């Protein structure tokens, strides 16, 4: 008999943390969650329900179901309260190893020995965090993409000591949320598809940041070639340019290759407070970005 997951806990209720909590609740799991910002969860739920359905592929649950599923999530006043009795707990905090290690130590002190510890990190292997727990055999990377945009998939990768039983349980959990598990057989920075996306992101940032191309033309080309509703720069706006910077720095810190260092032009945007969709200004202006307007792809 495999590992049985009944209760899910989520620590960090930003974009993907909120989605993990809601998708879990919608699929019959008992869910508890914690974030020091008490309002962030509903901000994201309201954002999901405002998305124009015609602009994205369907998410794993109907858009109209998000608010009802959100009400099933038990909001807790502390990490320890949220973690109590969990069978799997997700860490979904900023892409900063020091912050993650601090949170993982708190999680380890609060959960039972059987609990699966998962990080939704966009790039860091869980082996960098497993040392903060007494049960490294229970540690996983489960990295979701953007279910609210119809990106219905998640990377699943073990750490240096993760058991096959835990990896299998992680994949089955991902399937239960209506997502496709993307298995990674050996530890790899960036995991499965996120590493592919990162290669595209690095190259497009390099071309734009060094003045070779206009970001709008890159997005137009991508949208025409793939028939997607946005291009790489539009997607980076959706992710958050500060988050993009942090992820790129993870790769640079690992390789120390100057080619992996993100361009100064991106840092300038961040320092000016232009972080993308969440601030109303990034590469595009929101809530009505040019790539969504008629004529963006016209000759």
């Amino acid at each position: 008999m495999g590992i049985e997951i009944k209760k899910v806990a989520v620590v960090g209720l930003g974009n993907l943390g909120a989605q993990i909590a809601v998708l879990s609740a919608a699929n019959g799991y008992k869910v508890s969650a914690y974030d020091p910002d008490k309002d962030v969860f509903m901000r994201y739920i309201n954002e999901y329900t405002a998305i124009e359905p015609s602009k994205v592929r369907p998410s794993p649950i109907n858009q109209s179901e998000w608010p009802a599923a959100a009400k099933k999530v038990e909001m807790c006043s502390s990490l320890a309260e949220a973690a109590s009795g969990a069978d799997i707990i997700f860490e979904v905090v900023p892409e900063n190893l020091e912050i993650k290690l601090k949170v993982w130590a708190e999680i380890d002190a609060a959960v039972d020995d059987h609990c699966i510890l998962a990080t939704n990190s966009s790039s860091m292997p869980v082996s960098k965090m497993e040392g903060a727990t007494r049960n490294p055999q229970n540690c996983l990377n489960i990295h979701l993409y953007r279910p609210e945009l119809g990106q219905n998939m998640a990377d699943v990768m073990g750490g240096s000591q993760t058991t096959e039983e835990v990896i299998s349980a992680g994949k089955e959990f991902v399937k239960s949320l209506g997502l496709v598990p993307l298995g990674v057989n050996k530890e790899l920075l960036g995991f499965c598809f996120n590493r592919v996306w990162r290669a595209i992101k690095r190259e497009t940032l390099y071309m734009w940041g060094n003045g070779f191309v206009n970001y709008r033309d890159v997005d137009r080309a991508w949208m025409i070639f793939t028939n997607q509703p946005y291009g790489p720069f539009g997607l980076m706006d959706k992710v958050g340019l500060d988050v993009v910077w942090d992820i790129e720095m993870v790769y640079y810190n690992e390789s120390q290759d100057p080619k992996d260092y993100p361009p100064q032009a991106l840092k300038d945007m961040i320092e000016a407070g232009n972080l993308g969709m969440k601030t109303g200004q990034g590469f595009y202006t929101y809530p009505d970005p040019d790539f969504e307007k008629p004529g963006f792809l016209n000759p």
Side-chain angles (χ1 to χ4, degrees), residues 35-47:
D35 192 293
D37 182 345
K38 296 180 180 179
D39 300 322
V40 67
F41 180 64
M42 286 310 302
R43 285 204 303 270
Y44 278 105
I45 300 305
N46 293 334
E47 181 180 303

Side-chain angles (χ1 to χ4, degrees), residues 99-170:
I99 294 172
K100 287 183 181 293
L101 288 173
K102 180 178 182 296
V103 171
W104 271 64
E106 292 181 38
I107 287 172
D108 184 65
V111 297
D112 298 329
D113 284 340
H114 77 281
C115 184
I116 295 174
L117 286 75
T119 177
N120 187 64
S121 172
S122 300
S123 58
M124 296 181 192
V126 75
S127 62
K128 292 183 178 293
M129 297 151 232
E130 65 186 19
T133 172
R134 62 191 184 278
N135 291 304
Q137 73 278 4
N138 292 346
C139 298
L140 273 178
N141 283 99
I142 301 182
H143 167 247
L144 278 71
Y145 288 79
R146 299 293 298 271
E148 89 282 15
L149 301 179
Q151 296 175 2
N152 303 330
M153 56 187 181
D155 297 304
V156 181
M157 183 176 80
S160 68
Q161 299 180 54
T162 311
T163 66
E164 287 299 322
E165 187 180 26
V166 167
I167 292 172
S168 178

